[in-house]
Amino acid sequence: VAAPAWPPPHRWRSPRRHWRFTQAVAPVNSWPNTYSTHRVVNPERCSNDWPDAIPSCVTGCIAGHCVHSKTSVLCCLDMVQQRIALFGTSADPPTRGHQALLEQLLHRYDRVATWASDNPMKQHGAPLSVRAMLLKALVGQLSSPNLELTQDLSSPFTMETLHRAHQRWPQHTLVFVVGSDLAAQIPHWKQADQWLSQCHMAIAPRQGWPLTAMALADLTRCGASVEVLDVEIPASASSEQRRAPQPEQVPSAVWPLQLAHNLYGLNTT
């Protein structure tokens, strides 16, 4: 039997915004798309909120009324709802602890966004631009299509960061991630009572910084929706690496940059 003649692909007007794609989670199953007479091979990531005006995307996923359609093991991430982990850090410098947390977040969320930021409650050992460069090296080392350095989200104040994130991903569920060492401080951050009640929060336990019941109660009292992640981040503190840098406590892609830029008392001589 001859293969069906598929209709010509949709011609997009140029320019159009680039879409992100990901591999299907379970290609052996199918998920019914309410906009199509066929089924899409991607049960866990696809949703029925695709714009009705779009007949199909460049991968062949169906997103509109089509009599004939192709199925694909790819899915357009910008067209479906996802859980995105937001992890800002001083990255002063990034340590094996940062690396471990990012790896764990990649296993738990559809996408992870990270950035280097200034903390008004700390004195930093390197300028923000340098710390962003170090974090970029770590992101490159992890080499995951679902991990992105989003330096444009950086702000000393969480409320501003979350506002920018919601503007960037209005259709997605955003989860603000912090380490357990910061849990008790958060209710005292700028305008915390205004943004805590409007965001999902995940707390990653760090070795040496136990999460107390009082800290959790304070966050809940401020209206926060809190999830404690089932992870334990190694006791690898940036403050210790500023005082006495140790290559085994710093990601392999970051250490050469610290040497090259003579950071934290290091030099190449």
Side-chain angles (χ1 to χ4, degrees):
V1 179
W6 301 109
H10 181 81
R11 298 294 181 183
W12 296 98
R13 292 183 179 179
S14 180
R16 70 173 176 84
R17 185 165 58 89
H18 175 68
W19 279 344
R20 302 174 182 275
F21 305 107
T22 187
Q23 291 292 333
V25 177
V28 296
N29 298 321
S30 293
W31 177 88
N33 182 346
T34 58
Y35 286 128
S36 172
T37 57
H38 290 256
R39 296 165 73 84
V40 174
V41 184
N42 208 336
E44 296 188 36
R45 291 186 186 270
C46 291
S47 67
N48 61 0
D49 59 355
W50 288 344
D52 185 56
I54 302 176
S56 64
C57 77
V58 292
T59 65
C61 292
I62 303 309
H65 294 296
C66 298
V67 176
H68 300 288
S69 60
K70 294 180 180 179
T71 56
S72 170
V73 296
L74 295 173
C75 182
C76 305
L77 296 190
D78 289 343
M79 299 171 66
V80 299
Q81 189 177 50
Q82 294 183 294
R83 297 182 75 220
I84 302 178
L86 306 176
F87 177 56
T89 171
S90 297
D92 194 23
T95 67
R96 296 283 186 181
H98 293 95
Q99 179 178 341
L101 178 54
L102 288 172
E103 290 171 340
Q104 291 292 333
L105 294 177
L106 285 168
H107 283 95
R108 286 165 169 76
Y109 297 95
D110 298 302
R111 292 157 73 182
V112 179
T114 187
W115 62 92
S117 62
D118 284 330
N119 187 333
M121 303 175 71
K122 291 182 179 180
Q123 289 187 339
H124 299 292
L128 178 59
S129 59
V130 173
R131 289 181 277 123
M133 174 191 66
L134 298 179
L135 186 59
K136 182 179 180 180
L138 173 56
V139 169
Q141 176 181 330
L142 295 178
S143 186
S144 169
N146 297 324
L147 174 61
E148 182 180 4
L149 180 71
T150 52
Q151 195 57 32
D152 57 307
L153 298 184
S154 179
S155 169
F157 304 109
T158 302
M159 188 171 186
E160 176 61 26
T161 290
L162 292 176
H163 175 69
R164 295 176 187 176
H166 280 291
Q167 286 186 319
R168 182 168 182 158
W169 299 294
Q171 74 274 37
H172 297 309
T173 299
L174 306 180
V175 182
F176 182 58
V177 180
V178 297
S180 56
D181 55 312
L182 297 178
Q185 302 177 19
I186 293 174
H188 306 288
W189 288 2
K190 184 178 180 180
Q191 298 177 311
D193 56 332
Q194 297 183 31
W195 58 263
L196 274 174
S197 60
Q198 301 177 25
C199 78
H200 300 274
M201 177 177 293
I203 299 178
R206 291 184 60 188
Q207 292 181 6
W209 287 272
L211 181 61
T212 66
M214 180 178 295
L216 279 175
D218 288 343
L219 289 169
T220 303
R221 194 177 302 113
C222 291
S225 172
V226 182
E227 172 190 7
V228 180
L229 299 178
D230 185 21
V231 301
E232 189 169 11
I233 307 306
S236 180
S238 294
S239 57
E240 295 177 0
Q241 296 311 304
R242 292 195 296 272
R243 287 193 299 267
Q246 298 176 306
E248 64 273 12
Q249 294 298 326
V250 176
S252 59
V254 174
W255 183 257
L257 293 175
Q258 292 186 203
L259 287 172
H261 293 269
N262 300 321
L263 298 174
Y264 313 114
L266 294 171
N267 59 68
T268 56
T269 59

